[in-house]
Amino acid sequence: MWSPSHRSINRRVETQARQLVRDCESFLLGRYPWVLQAKGCPVPEWVWLSALAHAPADSLMAQAEREQAGPCPDPMTVLWQGALDLLAQELMTTADHTGCSVEELQRALIFNVELNPTRRAVGALVLGPSRFVQDVRQVLGRFRGSSQPW
């Protein structure tokens, strides 16, 4: 027979499991930076990369075309958001000019940036958005035949 404490533990575990599933879904849809921000948590570099590497093409298109939304919580978020907006534009432009699909470019980002074991200090904010832009541009440049943006 279950005691009230067992039911309480079960409810807590079920709630945590549902939250984990929501977090995983938001990561795979490229929305995890905003989930962390809404929770008041810091947003590490790898999370910003996930927004570019995992978001559906229509979300990236909206990201590339969007106007700056309301005030950002802090100056570092403004820099990361600007980097993400710029790279979403470059990813969409690279797809248009090369004939590659957005998903193909995203796979290249996942393998060459996100999963790269030689990448320096993954997850640390010390690299910052400038290095993030350089790393992504380098991967996109391979598809364009150049490391320079258009």
Side-chain angles (χ1 to χ4, degrees):
M1 184 160 181
W2 290 97
S3 69
S5 65
H6 282 108
R7 281 187 283 253
S8 175
I9 290 170
N10 283 342
R11 278 193 297 267
R12 188 173 40 225
V13 168
E14 287 174 10
T15 299
Q16 291 171 341
R18 281 192 297 277
Q19 184 60 49
L20 177 61
V21 168
R22 283 192 299 268
D23 287 349
C24 290
E25 287 174 342
S26 68
F27 174 82
L28 293 173
L29 292 172
R31 295 191 301 238
Y32 199 50
W34 297 276
V35 169
L36 289 179
Q37 283 181 340
K39 293 179 181 181
C41 298
V43 182
E45 178 181 306
W46 64 268
V47 174
W48 289 108
L49 176 60
S50 77
L52 190 64
H54 297 285
D58 59 339
S59 294
L60 284 172
M61 180 69 78
Q63 181 78 26
E65 294 174 349
R66 83 175 180 87
E67 294 290 324
Q68 179 64 27
C72 287
D74 60 70
M76 189 55 104
T77 298
V78 172
L79 293 174
W80 280 106
Q81 186 65 54
L84 187 62
D85 293 349
L86 171 71
L87 293 172
Q89 291 171 357
E90 289 192 22
L91 192 142
M92 300 307 288
T93 301
T94 300
D96 286 344
H97 283 88
T98 63
C100 295
S101 70
V102 169
E103 293 80 9
E104 183 178 357
L105 296 173
Q106 287 175 308
R107 280 191 298 277
L109 292 176
I110 291 168
F111 288 113
N112 293 292
V113 180
E114 188 174 45
L115 298 178
N116 185 344
T118 63
R119 187 166 158 80
R120 303 140 324 273
V122 172
L125 289 175
V126 296
L127 295 178
S130 295
R131 186 61 205 197
F132 171 65
V133 169
Q134 289 175 350
D135 289 350
V136 171
R137 281 181 167 171
Q138 184 178 28
V139 172
L140 295 177
R142 292 180 197 147
F143 287 86
R144 296 187 298 250
S146 152
S147 61
Q148 300 300 315
W150 278 301

